[in-house]
Amino acid sequence: MKKRILSLLLMLLLLLPAIPVEAAEVPEGTANLDFSFTSIDGGSVSTQSSGKPKLIVFFMTQCSRCKSTLGDFSSSSWLANGEADVCAIDFIGHTQEEVREFQETYCPEGLIQFVADESGNAMLAAYDYLHADGSTATNIATPVVAMVDVNNNLRYVVSGRTVTASEIETDYLPKLKGDNNGGDEDNTPGGDDGNTPGDGNTPGEGNTPGDGNTPGEGNTPGGNTPGGNKPGSGNNNTVSGNNVTSTKVQKVTTSAPSRVEEAPKIPSTSSVGGVKTSVTGAYLATNVTGSIVATSEADIAKNYGLANNEKVYGKFSDFSAKKSPLAKASMDAAVAEQKAVAGPMLNIEFGKMTAGKYTELPSDGSAIRVVLGIPKNFVQADKTYAVICVRAGGTYSVLKDLDNDANTVTFDTTGGAGVYAIIKY
C-alpha cells in the first residue's frame, strides 16, 4: 500500500516556487456538482446540499493549511450549532487509517465527515470544482474549499490558503443562507476594497512550513534527482495535473519566504513526445507515459455542437479493477477474444463544462483522436498494437493504432466514458 501511495505522490505532487492564493465567486446560478464517496466510518458522503450551506474541503493530510482550516472549522460554533455541513475529502490516495489519524488529531469533535479516496475520483472532483468558474487551472493548491448554498448552488471556491471559521461566519455564511446583507458592499468576501484579502487571507501560521508540512516518510518520493524548482513555504501543498500555473479571478499571490526546499522532478502527464494536449482537463493517468488529445478543441466543439459558453473537457485516470470489477471482466473477455496481451488500462471521458457543470458528450459523435505513450516495459518491436474500449453495458470495440511510432499508440474514439486498454498481439 505504501508503495502505491508513493507512486501516486511521485506522479502528482509538484512543488512550485509560489502558491497561488485564490478566491473565486462562481457565476450566479451555477448548479452544484454531484459526487458521492464513502466516509472513513462507512457512511455515504454526498457533495450535495441538504437544505443548508455545505462546505466541501479537498485536503492532504500533510498540508499545514489544511490542518489549520479543518481544525478551525471543527471547533467553530456555527458547525456545532448545525448552521452548515462540512465534509473533508483527502484526494491523493491516503489510507483510511491515515485520514482517521488526521481526524482524531485535528478534528476530534467528530462534526466533519471525512473521506479517504484511493480511486482517483476525488482528484477529478477537485479539478471539476476548481474549473467551475470557467478557469483552466491545472494546479491544485490545498486546501480547496467549495461553498454551496441552501439551494444547492455552488457559490464560491477558495484554494491555496488557510480559511478561518470566523471568515466563513462573517463573509460567506450569510450569503450561503440567502442573506444578501452579509459581506462587503460589492459582494466580494474577505476584503474592504473588494480585491485585497482581509485577515483570513493573510498567510499566517498555516502557510509557514511546520510539523507535517514537508512530506515525510511515505510522502516524499524516493530515488529521484531533485529538480531546479525551489519552493518556499507551503509549496508541498500544490498538486499538478499538467504543470500549468493556475489563473483564476480575484487572484492574490504571496511571495515565498527565504527558506527553500528542493523538489523532485515530476513528469508531465499531458504531453507525449513533446506534444501537448489540445483540450483542457484532468490528465491523471500515470500508468502510461503521457496522454493527449490530438484533435483540436475547436473541431471537437464544432462537431459536437457546443455553444460559445461551453468548453470541451477531458478526464484521464488510471483504471481501478476494485472499483469497476464488471468493466475489468468485460475487458479480460475482450482481450482473450483478440488473443492479445493487455497492457495499461485507464478511464477516459470526454464531456463539456457549462457554467461549472460537467456533462458527458454523446458516445455516438464524431471521432476524437487520442495519443497515449506506451510504457517501456510494454514496448515490443515485433508486435502489433491496438486499443480496446469497453463502454457501458460491456460492449467493446477494437481501435487500431494509427501511427508508426513504437513508443505510442494513436487511435480515434468518441465522447462519453469508457475503459481503455493498450493491447499487443
Side-chain angles (χ1 to χ4, degrees), residues 45 104 106 137 206 209 221 232 238 261 272 386 400 425:
V45 176
E104 292 173 349
Y106 300 101
T238 301
E261 296 172 5
V272 176
K400 294 182 178 180
Y425 48 89

Side-chain angles (χ1 to χ4, degrees), residues 226-261:
N229 292 332
K230 294 186 176 182
S233 74
N235 287 335
N236 54 333
N237 298 326
T238 301
V239 176
S240 173
N242 56 3
N243 303 343
V244 180
T245 302
S246 169
T247 302
K248 297 179 73 172
V249 298
Q250 300 178 24
K251 177 178 176 182
V252 180
T253 303
T254 61
S255 59
S258 57
R259 177 182 174 182
V260 294
E261 296 172 5

